[in-house]
Amino acid sequence: MRWLRSWLPHLLVGALALLAMGKMGLLDTGRWSHGTRNVATFSASMFPPNWEVLPAVSGAMVETIQIAFVGTLLGFIMALPLALPSTRTLFPPAVTLPLKLLLGIVRTVPSLLWAIIFVVAFGLGPRAGALGIAFYTLGFLGKLYYEAFEGVDLEVTEAVRSVGANRLQLLRYALLPEAANTIISQLLFVFEYNVRASAIMGFVGAGGIGFYILGYVQLLQYQSLTTALLVTLVVVLVIDFLSSRLRSVVLPAPRPSALG
Amino acid sequence: MLAPVHTAFASFEVAVNNAEPLTPVASAVAVRDLWASYAKKRPVLKGISLDVPAGQLCMVLGPSGSGKTTLLKSIKGLIKPQAGSVTVLGIALRTGLKGSAGKDLARKVAYIPQTLGLVRNLTVLQNALVGTLARVGTLPSLVQVFPRPLVEEAVATLESLGLGHKLGEKAYNLSGGERQRVAIARALMQNPRLILADEFVSQLDTPRAIEIMDVVKGIASQGVTFLITTHELNLVASYGDSAIVLRDGRKVHEGPASQVNLDVLRGLMQ
């Protein structure tokens, strides 16, 4: 019976997974072979890439990066001041709980849905995309930042508070510097994420390269699609590389001997 | 006001920059029947009473969990007592911790937590200047504009502690002994009358601990009262004026440090 008790959770998870996969048709071998053939045909029709669309696609990619950059910046500017009063080590629950709820609601809505809301409100174009990214970033960074502030070593906040520092001074001299690494590191991470998210903003008319990607798929212009995807891939890789370099410059690792 | 402090390893002149004269207070700390706890039903301190005369270096000893840290935090006003009273520098904590009087008391009582509470991403000088926050306006301090005399005072204090060459170094890059000295500098920048230090030298090797305790002794000789919790029994007689032993939240011994018998002390601590 002992083996049954230890294996029961694994068996249950396995059974649930099989049930869900069956419902989705993932266990249908006929569909698998049909689908595989389709993927092969589709892939073959994607090559060679159509380089004629490169200028148009590159221009749209620049717009995508702008959407990600402006959206991330706006989101960060909103997130930091909202994260501070959401910090339970600084403010009472009457202040922090409603703000945490608000950030939770903002975070629940995906960036694409935010973009649809802003397309409806402000019309088509990158403005809606940037605002969509900004609101998603607000919900995401807001939570990470108040958690970073709350995670600051209690003895540090106690030591700074005990010199007679007020709440703003505590924030300036304990919470912000102690959480600085997390603040910068998460900002870079969310920017990388937002570049990818901005690439599909065009699906809902919110600007950027997504408009071209969706258009090429709908018009069956798979060779042009390849060009758009390759440009996206290169830009995402370059931005990941640059942000990791930036991270190592801005966030130097402390000497191992000084960690204790 | 400079007093030379000679140690076996280095010689420091530690400045205690008390602008105001040290008016004698008979008892720097007076605790009466203090009960304190974190969870309601499990008191950590069970009716402690003690007096620390001004200018004394009082060592608080006891095994882990005996209530040493809780005692220090209660004296600093970080923990509200369940019962009893704490009077610090002549001010009863229950009534004395509000408004400017509270801020003034917070400045006069420096607290160095066990892990020192240094801000890792701030420099040595910035960490020392944290000690002056109660004396600086909020707005200038937020944009890091400190009055020049305060900055000069901080630099002089750090230099006197042998850290003059590390002013711009981030705290996370310092060695254990250096971090200990930055914590002392931050405390001194409060112009304190009382310094509460929790397990102050426990994480240092013996030569470093002796070096730091020599610095502490020099500061105490200028009229600043110290309350230091420690496990290091061998430091008690050489540096303490008085010693208090706690066990299970109760005071089991109090007396002059010079008369402490190490074997008796060891027995009390077990």
Side-chain angles (χ1 to χ4, degrees), chain A residues 2-259:
Chain A
R2 209 166 168 185
W3 69 267
L4 185 64
R5 207 177 320 157
S6 65
W7 276 95
L8 199 61
H10 302 86
L11 290 172
L12 269 176
V13 172
L16 279 173
L18 281 175
L19 197 71
M21 285 165 82
K23 271 232 177 250
M24 291 175 202
L26 280 172
L27 302 178
D28 184 342
T29 48
R31 278 199 210 178
W32 269 108
S33 62
H34 183 67
T36 314
R37 271 199 304 278
N38 275 351
V39 168
T41 318
F42 177 65
S43 305
S45 60
M46 287 177 82
F47 291 95
N50 175 14
W51 297 115
E52 280 174 20
V53 296
L54 188 63
V57 163
S58 303
M61 193 66 222
V62 171
E63 194 175 76
T64 296
I65 297 168
Q66 285 170 344
I67 291 171
F69 181 68
V70 173
T72 308
L73 202 64
L74 285 178
F76 172 72
I77 290 169
M78 292 190 285
L80 204 55
L82 269 179
L84 294 171
S86 309
T87 306
R88 68 161 190 270
T89 43
L90 274 183
F91 291 90
V95 179
T96 60
L97 289 181
L99 283 170
K100 282 182 176 173
L101 184 67
L102 176 75
L103 285 172
I105 293 168
V106 173
R107 197 170 52 251
T108 316
V109 182
S111 51
L112 207 59
L113 201 53
W114 277 118
I116 292 173
I117 293 168
F118 289 115
V119 165
V120 173
F122 297 110
L124 295 168
R127 183 172 40 194
L131 287 174
I133 293 287
F135 272 76
Y136 181 75
T137 304
L138 162 66
F140 186 76
L141 282 185
K143 180 184 168 67
L144 288 174
Y145 285 177
Y146 74 66
E147 282 183 348
F149 293 142
E150 286 173 357
V152 168
D153 185 354
L154 208 62
E155 291 219 320
V156 174
T157 52
E158 217 162 58
V160 175
R161 207 193 286 262
S162 75
V163 305
N166 59 36
R167 211 174 275 172
L168 283 172
Q169 290 173 326
L170 179 69
L171 172 73
R172 173 67 186 81
Y173 286 92
L175 300 189
L176 277 178
E178 282 289 286
N181 289 7
T182 311
I183 290 172
I184 296 167
S185 156
Q186 298 297 349
L187 180 63
L188 288 172
F189 172 79
V190 82
F191 176 62
E192 289 167 28
Y193 177 86
N194 282 345
V195 172
R196 294 186 193 96
S198 303
I200 56 163
M201 282 293 153
F203 287 13
V204 295
I209 201 167
F211 174 75
Y212 285 85
I213 292 176
L214 188 69
Y216 293 144
V217 170
Q218 285 172 341
L219 298 170
L220 310 179
Q221 294 178 2
Y222 296 136
Q223 289 173 331
S224 302
L225 174 68
T226 308
T227 313
L229 291 179
L230 282 175
V231 167
T232 310
L233 179 74
V234 168
V235 166
V236 165
L237 287 179
V238 167
I239 284 177
D240 280 8
F241 172 74
L242 288 179
S243 86
S244 81
R245 289 301 299 264
L246 192 63
R247 194 172 278 131
S248 64
V249 172
V250 183
L251 309 170
R255 276 197 341 229
S257 61
L259 284 174

Side-chain angles (χ1 to χ4, degrees), chain B residues 10-261:
Chain B
S11 170
F12 303 113
E13 286 196 323
V14 180
V16 179
N17 300 298
N18 273 303
E20 63 212 272
L22 291 170
T23 45
V25 180
S27 213
V29 179
V31 175
R32 295 285 171 273
D33 192 28
L34 178 66
W35 289 73
S37 75
Y38 297 96
K40 271 193 176 172
K41 286 185 179 169
R42 292 183 54 199
V44 181
L45 298 181
K46 301 165 185 169
I48 289 201
S49 296
L50 58 92
D51 283 286
V52 183
Q56 271 211 358
L57 205 161
C58 174
M59 306 290 242
V60 183
L61 300 134
S64 294
S66 58
K68 304 189 293 293
T69 301
T70 311
L71 175 65
L72 247 53
K73 286 189 173 182
S74 303
I75 294 169
K76 178 60 196 172
L78 294 170
I79 293 173
K80 207 175 160 186
Q82 282 178 309
S85 69
V86 178
T87 306
V88 179
L89 304 172
I91 299 170
L93 281 198
R94 277 191 171 175
T95 55
L97 264 179
K98 291 208 174 100
S100 61
K103 200 168 180 177
D104 192 48
L105 187 64
R107 178 186 69 68
K108 284 181 181 165
V109 182
Y111 170 64
I112 304 173
Q114 189 172 356
T115 55
L116 305 176
L118 295 184
V119 185
R120 289 161 46 96
N121 270 331
L122 293 184
T123 63
V124 166
L125 181 60
Q126 286 170 326
N127 267 294
L129 284 169
V130 163
T132 69
L133 286 177
R135 292 193 273 161
V136 186
T138 302
L139 202 60
S141 71
L142 290 183
V143 290
Q144 276 205 73
V145 177
F146 289 85
R148 183 176 286 270
L150 279 187
V151 178
E152 284 168 359
E153 193 183 317
V155 171
T157 305
L158 287 165
E159 278 172 351
S160 70
L161 288 161
L163 285 168
H165 61 298
K166 296 253 176 174
L167 298 179
E169 192 86 59
K170 290 274 172 76
Y172 61 67
N173 266 335
L174 301 176
S175 70
E178 288 168 340
R179 294 185 337 159
Q180 217 89 13
R181 283 183 220 171
V182 178
I184 295 177
R186 183 186 61 200
L188 288 178
M189 288 310 292
Q190 290 179 236
N191 279 355
R193 305 287 303 278
L194 168 67
I195 296 180
L196 308 165
D198 194 7
E199 294 291 349
F200 192 46
V201 290
S202 301
Q203 286 164 22
L204 298 181
D205 52 41
T206 307
R208 294 284 159 268
I210 289 172
E211 196 179 306
I212 294 293
M213 285 310 295
D214 281 339
V215 173
V216 165
K217 189 82 179 164
I219 298 163
S221 71
Q222 295 170 62
V224 178
T225 312
F226 271 89
L227 213 69
I228 297 178
T229 69
T230 184
H231 275 107
E232 308 292 318
L233 299 183
N234 49 344
L235 295 176
V236 176
S238 22
Y239 291 97
D241 293 313
S242 60
I244 292 167
V245 182
L246 302 185
R247 191 162 62 191
D248 191 27
R250 292 193 170 86
K251 185 175 76 183
V252 292
H253 172 83
E254 184 176 18
S258 54
Q259 292 173 15
V260 158
N261 180 318

